[in-house]
Amino acid sequence: MKYAFLLAAVLAAGPVFADDQLKLNQIQVIGSHNSYHAGLPAGIVKLLSSTDPDSLDGLDYSHAPLDVQLSRGIRQLELDIYADSRGGRYAAPLGPRWVAEAGLPADPSPYDTGVMAAPGFKVLHMQDVDYVSTCQPFRFCLKQIREWSDSHPGHVPLFLLIETKQSETVGRWEMTASEKFTTATLDALDGEIRSVFSEDRLITPDKIRGRYDTLEQAVLAGHWPTLAEARGKVVFLLDQKNVSALYLAGHPALRGRVLFTNADPGTPDAAFVERNEGGAAEIADLVRRGYLVRTRTDWDTKQARLGDTARRDEAMAGGAQMLSTDYPAGEPARWTGYQVVFPDGAPARCNPVLTVPPCRITGP
C-alpha cells in the first residue's frame, strides 16, 4: 500500500502524535476473548471435573465487567449472542438439573428471571453449561459500552466482535435447541445495534466503501478513516462465516449493513478477516494489503498454563490490528502470570508492520 510507505517516511522524520497521519487499519489494539465470560458456576465446575476435565481446562478463565476492561485499556471486545426472538428460550438452563442429578450442591441463578424471559439476543458462551455473563441481555451489554464511550470522549475506536451462536451439543450432553439465525434475525441485530449507537458513532461498511463499487476495492485503496476521525467511534465485526450469506442477502458488498463480515480476500465484502491461529507472515501480508485482521494470542488456557509467550509475540509482530486474549491487562493467568499488554501499557500502538518509529498513540 503506497500510503503506508509515505506514512513511514513522515513518521521517521520525527512526529510522535500520529492521529492525523495514521489510518484506522494502521493501529494495533488488545482485545479480550469472550469478553462477557464470568466463569463457570461452581456446580458445573465440579461436574465437568469428573466428566470432562479437558473441556473444563479450556473454560477456566473469566473477565471483569466490560466497562472495567475498557478502563484498563481493552479496545476490542467479543460478545457471543444467541437469538431469542420470543424470549425465555434460555431462562432455565439444564446445567443445574445435571448438577442436582450428580448429587452436587445447587448453583444460584445468575440472573433475574425477567431478563432471560424477555425477547431479545442473549449473551452466552454455551447454553446450559457455560451460561453466566457479566452483562445480560445483549442490548444491556451495548449500553454499558456506549456509556463508557460517552464518559471517555476521544477514545481510541472500539472494535466489537459479534459471534452468532447456534450450538447444539457439548460433550455427551444434549443442549437446549438454539434458535436459527435468519435474514430477519440479522436485520433485528442491526436494528438493536442502531438503537444503542447513533449513526455518528458507527464506522460502517458504507462509510468505508464511499465511491467505490465494492468494499474490498475501497479497502485495498486504503480508504479507511484517520485515527482522528475514528476516535470515539465503534466498529462492529461479524465473527461467524456461517451467517455471512444471510447477512449479505439483499445487501451486496454490505450496503446498508452495520457489521463487517469475516470475509475471504477477493470477495466484494472483504475488509475484515480472521486468522485466529495464522502465522506472522500470512497476517502481515493481509495487513499490508489493507485488511483488518483479528488473531488470537492464546487459546484454551494452554499458553497461560505454561507461560508460553511464543504465540503472543508472533501475533504482535504480525501486525494484526486486533490481538485477542483470555488474559488482558489486569487479568494475568494465575498459574504463570501470563498476560498480553503492550510494553508501555497504552490502549493502542502504531502497527508494527505499517509504521516505523518514532510513532506513538496517545489518549484514552
Side-chain angles (χ1 to χ4, degrees):
M1 293 165 19
K2 293 182 180 179
Y3 69 82
F5 296 107
L6 176 61
L7 174 65
V10 170
L11 293 176
V16 172
F17 305 105
D19 276 25
D20 292 325
Q21 288 121 7
L22 285 176
K23 294 289 187 79
L24 174 66
N25 65 312
Q26 293 176 307
I27 68 173
Q28 190 175 60
V29 303
I30 294 171
S32 53
H33 168 245
N34 292 341
S35 308
Y36 57 88
H37 197 251
L40 292 167
I44 297 292
V45 170
K46 291 179 180 179
L47 182 64
L48 290 179
S49 66
S50 60
T51 61
D52 194 353
D54 289 340
S55 291
L56 176 60
D57 283 351
L59 298 172
D60 191 9
Y61 64 94
S62 61
H63 292 303
L66 301 181
D67 55 344
V68 174
Q69 293 184 57
L70 291 169
S71 292
R72 290 173 175 170
I74 293 305
R75 294 295 177 266
Q76 181 250 295
L77 297 171
E78 177 184 357
L79 299 175
D80 292 355
I81 60 171
Y82 284 79
D84 189 15
S85 58
R86 296 184 178 180
R89 182 180 288 265
Y90 308 106
L94 297 175
R97 188 184 77 188
W98 299 333
V99 168
E101 290 172 350
L104 298 169
D107 293 309
S109 174
Y111 308 119
D112 171 48
T113 54
V115 170
M116 300 304 285
F121 297 101
K122 304 303 188 298
V123 177
L124 308 165
H125 188 224
M126 298 175 187
Q127 74 275 41
D128 301 322
V129 174
D130 193 2
Y131 52 83
V132 185
S133 170
T134 62
C135 58
Q136 195 72 263
F138 178 59
R139 187 189 299 271
F140 178 80
C141 301
L142 294 181
K143 288 181 177 179
Q144 193 174 67
I145 295 166
R146 191 206 64 207
E147 288 170 2
W148 182 91
S149 177
D150 290 344
S151 63
H152 295 78
H155 61 76
V156 169
L158 306 180
F159 299 89
L160 299 189
L161 188 70
I162 307 301
E163 181 172 353
T164 51
K165 300 295 286 281
Q166 301 179 80
S167 58
E168 298 296 341
T169 62
V170 170
R172 64 185 178 88
W173 289 291
E174 291 293 326
M175 311 289 280
T176 298
S178 58
E179 181 177 333
K180 298 299 184 183
F181 278 78
T182 65
T183 53
T185 316
L186 295 168
D187 289 344
L189 174 59
D190 275 5
E192 195 145 311
I193 293 170
R194 290 188 186 277
S195 74
V196 176
F197 289 95
S198 58
E199 188 65 24
D200 64 329
R201 300 290 287 277
L202 295 171
I203 297 174
T204 61
D206 286 340
K207 293 176 182 177
I208 302 306
R209 187 186 312 99
R211 59 183 172 80
Y212 292 89
D213 291 334
T214 71
L215 186 56
E216 185 179 56
Q217 289 173 357
V219 165
L220 297 181
H223 198 243
W224 293 105
T226 64
L227 177 56
E229 294 167 334
R231 282 189 178 274
K233 299 181 181 179
V234 183
V235 184
F236 280 87
L237 309 163
L238 189 62
D239 178 80
Q240 289 293 309
K241 287 186 175 182
N242 58 16
V243 298
S244 292
L246 289 173
Y247 195 66
L248 285 162
H251 300 269
L254 293 171
R255 283 175 171 78
R257 285 303 199 184
V258 173
L259 297 100
F260 292 83
T261 47
N262 176 9
D264 294 321
T267 56
D269 56 317
F272 159 62
V273 297
E274 282 190 336
R275 292 295 184 271
N276 286 335
E277 299 180 28
E282 178 191 14
I283 290 172
D285 176 65
L286 291 166
V287 168
R288 290 190 183 99
R289 290 163 66 185
Y291 301 106
L292 292 179
V293 181
R294 182 254 196 172
T295 195
R296 292 182 64 179
T297 59
D298 47 82
W299 46 82
D300 300 333
T301 75
K302 293 177 181 178
Q303 291 84 356
R305 290 174 185 273
L306 298 173
D308 183 357
T309 61
R311 172 59 193 175
R312 180 194 71 185
D313 297 344
E314 178 186 34
M316 284 188 168
Q321 290 87 352
M322 291 160 277
L323 304 166
S324 182
T325 178
D326 288 329
Y327 306 95
E331 299 178 9
R334 67 180 185 274
W335 307 281
T336 61
Y338 173 93
Q339 196 169 26
V340 180
V341 295
F342 292 133
D344 62 357
R349 70 174 183 174
C350 301
N351 193 293
V353 170
L354 298 180
T355 66
V356 296
C359 177
R360 181 164 58 91
I361 297 171
T362 61

